[in-house]
Amino acid sequence: MVTQAGPSRARPLWVACALGVLAVSMIAALLDGAADISPWQVVLQVVDWLPFTEVDSGLAPVEQGLLFELRLPRVLVAAVVGGLLAMAGAGYQGVFRNPLADPYLLGAAAGAGLAATAAIVLLPSVAGSIPVAAFLGAVGGVFLAYTLGNTAGRAGGTATLVLAGVAVTSFLTAIQTFVQQFKVEELQRIYSWILGDVGGGWDQLWLVLPYAAVSAVLLLLHGRMLDVLSVGDEEATSLGLRAARVRLMVLIAASLATAAAVAVSGLIGFVGIVVPHVVRRIAGGSYRIVLPLSLIGGAAFLVLADLVARTVIAPAELPIGVVTMFVGAPFFVAVLRMTRRAGT
Amino acid sequence: MRPVRTAFAGALLGTLLLAGCGQGGTTTTASAPTTTAPASSPGAFPVTIEAGNGKVTITKKPERIVSLSATHTETLFAIGAGPQVIAVDEQSNYPPEAPKTDLSGFKPNVEAIVAQKPDLVIVSDDLDKVVAELGKVNVPVLLQPAATKLDEAYEEIAELGAATGNQAKADEVVAGMKAAIDELAAKAPKDKRLTYYHELDTTPYAATSKTFLGQIYGLFGLTNIADKAPDAAGGYPKLSAEFVAQADPDLIFLADVKCCRQSKDTLAERPGWQNLSAIKNDQVVQLDDDIASRWGPRVVDLAEAIGAAVSKAGTS
């Protein structure tokens, strides 16, 4: 097999290190926010929440409530969503063997955008209709792209699949814009949703966790097979791997992760491209290490991005998507330049 | 070595984020409309109006007016120009007798507007260069942008009066509005120093005191919690839910009742908001979204709703 000895031996160390970064990000994100509460009081309050401890943080019930109901779940949702998007990005990049593949490539974002817009316009009074619609829309978008890709080209051909994704994205976005024209007064809400938000509270966390767990387990189990796939389909087949089946499994898992993330947070761009690339440059290209580190690194990245979004112009907030794109867009160009120079 | 490199990369990423986003919040503020009171005598044509699109001369009393702005539609009917109005845009839902059409003020279709054979078109935004396009076919257009102060709203009403030959009635409407709002503001108890939060959208977007709406609340001696948001947010900041919870305003005004079905109950369901005093003390006011977003004669209705809420909060 290919030389994967190095990364796999260093793997536990890497994961421990990344978990440390994530823990620091999460603590930082818990300590600061738009509400004027001293970090020390937050620390005391967190200690108070821990089992078997009782500390007086001196915080009023309203402030305790906002820490527990707003800030804590927000940090956790940001971590889960960031992890899912980055891991899905790594998965897609493995399947397509293209460093620029991202979680929204196959029409997931456009499908979710259209469905969420439809929910905002048609079911304004149904609570929880937006996340459900976004989830179904994202899955629908990918399914459409996959079906079209398979009918149009050779089964499993990744280039055709990407092109089908582009076509589906354009088409669904056009319908979404068309629908918006009839509900001008909803533009603000649609726009807000598109720019992303992780402030939904505990409900959002419970909503996303089961899908997150399933997709993470599926993707992490396929890391080794993606490594084998990266040497080429024929070699992989000669090593006894059913390339098309592995691709489909990873596609399903990554799409599930994307759909779950989109459902609770809207469209948050560039996490899925930026994080796997940083990981690859630091820890090497083996998917056995890229997938878990993307999961943890993506979580840390989005927690920090959300911290910036909610503190930089506090008490006003920036949409989190603006923050991730602000960092992501220049990075994207840098990746383009690097990959071109490398001739891949 | 490797852990050090990872930590370094993490720190670098964080710094990059912080550095990059410090500059991200700039927004251009909308330019204030430059309008002056009409110079000509009431009802006499031609008149020249100093509108948002410069000096507009109307040679004779317009009989086929098209309004592409819900606010100005309300004004036209209030000042007695209703019979002259032949078509209004799809957003103009008040008064009910307004001749609503599928014309869009958001995406104006010049051909469709011209097909109505208007002798005056009134818009509040120059979207898709509609002013220039209508100018090419010699249709007079009055651009009366959203008012940022009450005085601007009064001026626009007076100007619409002059432009449509209803100057006397328009002046009467303005005088009535001024008197009513002054009276309401004078009645409000101001000793309690109440704070408020005006919500435009569930996200939650708010309006600061710098906006037209904020100015009206200011007349009632209320303090706006959104004013702590930096200017870069442009008068309509997306507030942090955390901040609203901590600020715990005495009064909450909802302008997202029709659009998003918000109420005291839906606010109480939001994470971390259930203990807000405005919710506990029943000081959540459901406004009419339309009245709370237009700068026409029904501003008085908005002032009444605010005045009633302030009185209730002041006595409880």
Side-chain angles (χ1 to χ4, degrees):
Chain A
M1 270 232 289
V2 210
T3 51
Q4 299 293 354
S8 66
R9 210 176 30 213
R11 206 172 125 171
L13 189 64
W14 277 122
V15 171
C17 187
L19 283 173
V21 172
L22 174 60
V24 171
S25 321
M26 291 177 76
I27 291 166
L30 254 185
L31 293 183
D32 201 5
D36 193 15
I37 300 174
S38 82
W40 178 239
Q41 283 184 305
V42 179
V43 173
L44 289 179
Q45 189 57 50
V46 172
V47 173
D48 186 42
W49 287 334
L50 295 174
F52 312 117
T53 55
E54 217 162 292
V55 187
D56 182 18
S57 64
L59 288 177
V62 169
E63 290 169 326
Q64 291 185 17
L66 76 86
L67 272 185
F68 189 75
E69 300 281 345
L70 281 164
R71 206 182 283 177
L72 180 61
R74 186 163 178 161
V75 170
L76 295 173
V77 169
V80 174
V81 167
L84 285 177
L85 288 176
M87 188 182 63
Y92 279 119
Q93 285 159 21
V95 169
F96 294 111
R97 272 183 265 151
N98 183 335
L100 299 178
D102 92 329
Y104 301 139
L105 183 74
L106 290 186
L114 172 59
T117 303
I120 289 169
V121 169
L122 302 174
L123 309 165
S125 57
V126 183
S129 61
I130 299 175
V132 175
F135 182 83
L136 295 177
V139 173
V142 175
F143 180 77
L144 194 62
Y146 188 80
T147 315
L148 278 177
N150 269 352
T151 15
R154 204 159 39 84
T158 52
T160 323
L161 201 50
V162 171
L163 290 176
V166 171
V168 166
T169 296
S170 304
F171 187 68
L172 296 183
T173 309
I175 302 178
Q176 184 195 326
T177 314
F178 181 75
V179 174
Q180 282 172 13
Q181 299 303 309
F182 291 96
K183 277 282 183 183
V184 177
E185 59 270 40
E186 302 290 3
L187 277 180
Q188 170 84 66
R189 290 185 72 206
I190 295 167
Y191 187 62
S192 290
W193 183 84
I194 285 175
L195 284 173
D197 181 26
V198 288
W202 292 107
D203 291 351
Q204 305 290 72
L205 187 69
W206 305 140
L207 195 67
V208 71
L209 266 185
Y211 300 100
V214 171
S215 56
V217 168
L218 268 178
L219 273 173
L220 294 178
L221 286 178
H222 280 81
R224 195 188 174 83
M225 295 177 214
L226 279 178
D227 281 341
V228 179
L229 265 192
S230 68
V231 300
D233 277 17
E234 280 178 27
E235 287 86 342
T237 314
S238 74
L239 290 166
L241 198 73
R242 286 155 73 184
R245 186 158 167 268
V246 170
R247 271 213 191 86
L248 186 61
M249 279 310 290
V250 175
L251 271 186
I252 289 174
S255 302
L256 185 68
T258 307
V262 165
V264 296
S265 67
L267 304 180
I268 299 175
F270 282 111
V271 181
I273 290 184
V274 171
V275 176
H277 277 283
V278 173
V279 165
R280 223 172 269 133
R281 293 195 65 80
I282 297 173
S286 161
Y287 280 95
R288 269 176 297 168
I289 190 83
V290 168
L291 283 169
L293 282 190
S294 293
L295 176 67
I296 304 166
F301 176 78
L302 207 62
V303 166
L304 288 177
D306 183 51
L307 176 62
V308 171
R310 63 198 163 81
T311 54
V312 78
I313 57 165
E317 264 179 34
L318 283 174
I320 188 168
V322 171
V323 177
T324 58
M325 283 186 272
F326 209 88
V327 187
F331 190 87
F332 189 82
V333 176
V335 170
L336 272 176
R337 287 176 59 92
M338 274 188 289
T339 45
R340 275 191 62 192
R341 213 174 296 150
T344 49
Chain B
M1 272 309 279
R2 273 180 179 146
V4 180
R5 276 170 65 195
T6 309
F8 178 70
L12 193 72
L13 198 70
T15 322
L16 229 129
L17 258 170
L18 287 162
C21 297
Q23 315 154 5
T26 48
T27 324
T28 48
T29 39
S31 56
T34 50
T35 48
T36 51
S40 66
S41 58
F45 287 91
V47 292
T48 302
I49 311 286
E50 189 88 28
N53 52 330
K55 283 195 167 72
V56 178
T57 302
I58 297 156
T59 48
K60 61 178 184 46
K61 183 173 173 169
E63 296 298 341
R64 297 186 62 81
I65 301 172
V66 170
S67 166
L68 297 179
S69 151
T71 297
H72 299 318
T73 301
E74 293 192 12
T75 301
L76 289 169
F77 277 81
I79 63 173
Q84 295 153 266
V85 177
I86 51 146
V88 300
D89 74 308
E90 58 189 0
Q91 302 298 319
S92 291
N93 53 8
Y94 186 89
E97 65 267 28
K100 196 161 153 175
T101 65
D102 54 7
L103 285 177
S104 167
F106 171 71
K107 197 103 181 84
N109 181 332
V110 173
E111 273 191 35
I113 299 167
V114 173
Q116 299 282 349
K117 299 194 178 65
D119 49 13
L120 179 63
V121 175
I122 295 161
V123 296
S124 56
D125 290 289
D126 188 10
L127 295 165
D128 293 346
K129 298 188 189 122
V130 64
V131 173
E133 299 276 308
L134 286 168
K136 282 183 200 158
V137 286
N138 293 320
V139 175
V141 191
L142 272 189
L143 171 64
Q144 299 278 39
T148 55
K149 294 199 244 1
L150 261 175
D151 284 345
E152 280 171 16
Y154 294 144
E155 259 171 39
E156 290 192 359
I157 295 171
E159 282 167 5
L160 284 183
T164 61
N166 297 282
Q167 177 94 62
K169 184 73 195 296
D171 290 344
E172 204 179 293
V173 167
V174 169
M177 287 171 72
K178 282 182 179 165
I181 290 176
D182 286 349
E183 197 194 339
L184 287 164
K187 267 200 294 189
K190 298 195 177 71
D191 49 325
K192 281 223 169 179
R193 306 191 67 77
L194 298 166
T195 56
Y196 79 99
Y197 160 61
H198 176 98
E199 178 170 285
L200 297 165
D201 172 305
T202 55
T203 327
Y205 273 87
T208 68
S209 293
K210 287 199 171 158
T211 62
F212 179 73
L213 280 164
Q215 206 213 353
I216 296 169
Y217 283 103
L219 296 175
F220 291 85
L222 297 174
T223 305
N224 192 340
I225 64 158
D227 287 348
K228 290 209 174 122
D231 289 349
Y236 298 100
K238 179 187 177 188
L239 284 184
S240 163
E242 212 177 75
F243 169 75
V244 177
Q246 198 190 29
D248 197 16
D250 299 308
L251 289 160
I252 297 179
F253 294 92
L254 297 176
D256 49 4
V257 175
K258 267 195 218 168
C259 75
C260 326
R261 316 261 155 93
Q262 292 306 295
S263 65
K264 191 178 88 180
D265 297 336
T266 60
L267 288 191
E269 282 166 20
R270 293 192 199 168
W273 281 30
Q274 66 272 39
N275 291 321
L276 288 183
S277 3
I279 295 172
K280 281 189 178 161
N281 304 334
D282 200 18
Q283 307 285 10
V284 177
V285 184
Q286 299 191 19
L287 299 171
D288 179 313
D289 301 13
D290 293 339
I291 295 176
S293 64
R294 296 175 188 174
W295 58 101
R298 285 201 292 168
V299 167
V300 175
D301 296 2
L302 174 66
E304 262 170 26
I306 298 170
V310 172
S311 299
K312 187 181 157 212
T315 52
S316 62

